[in-house]
Amino acid sequence: CAHPRVAAAPNSTAAPIQKYFIAHCYEKLGRDTAARDYYGRVSKDHPRSSWATTAQKELARMASREYQKQRATGDTDRKRTRQNARPE
């Protein structure tokens, strides 16, 4: 999903903050995959920007939140791995 202002000048000085707030909006809308994608774009496309550091923190926070949600429901990768390893 290309946003007009970012697409018009993807490497402008405003691009990192624009991508960051696009990610933030997606997250608020519950579109976590799109949010992670845009936070990742900030980090990848603008690694020297202070917004890249902020985006990386948001990605870590989202990953932690997702892990906590999985732990609460008992749906962790380790549990799935053990279940898959059991012979039937």
Side-chain angles (χ1 to χ4, degrees), residues 15-85:
I17 192 170
Q18 290 170 339
K19 291 174 187 176
Y20 176 86
F21 280 105
I22 289 168
H24 183 74
C25 290
Y26 276 138
E27 187 177 358
K28 292 295 182 184
L29 292 170
R31 296 182 58 192
D32 288 350
T33 301
R36 281 190 295 273
D37 178 52
Y38 267 88
Y39 285 135
R41 288 182 192 193
V42 175
S43 297
K44 180 182 171 213
D45 298 346
H46 313 281
R48 294 185 180 149
S49 164
S50 63
W51 289 100
T53 303
T54 305
Q56 289 169 348
K57 289 177 184 176
E58 293 298 328
L59 284 167
R61 181 188 53 74
M62 289 180 76
S64 176
R65 185 182 69 206
E66 184 62 28
Y67 178 75
Q68 293 301 323
K69 190 186 313 180
Q70 288 175 349
R71 279 189 73 203
T73 61
D75 185 27
T76 61
D77 286 335
R78 188 179 347 170
K79 183 177 179 180
R80 278 183 274 170
T81 301
R82 276 188 274 140
Q83 288 174 344
N84 292 340

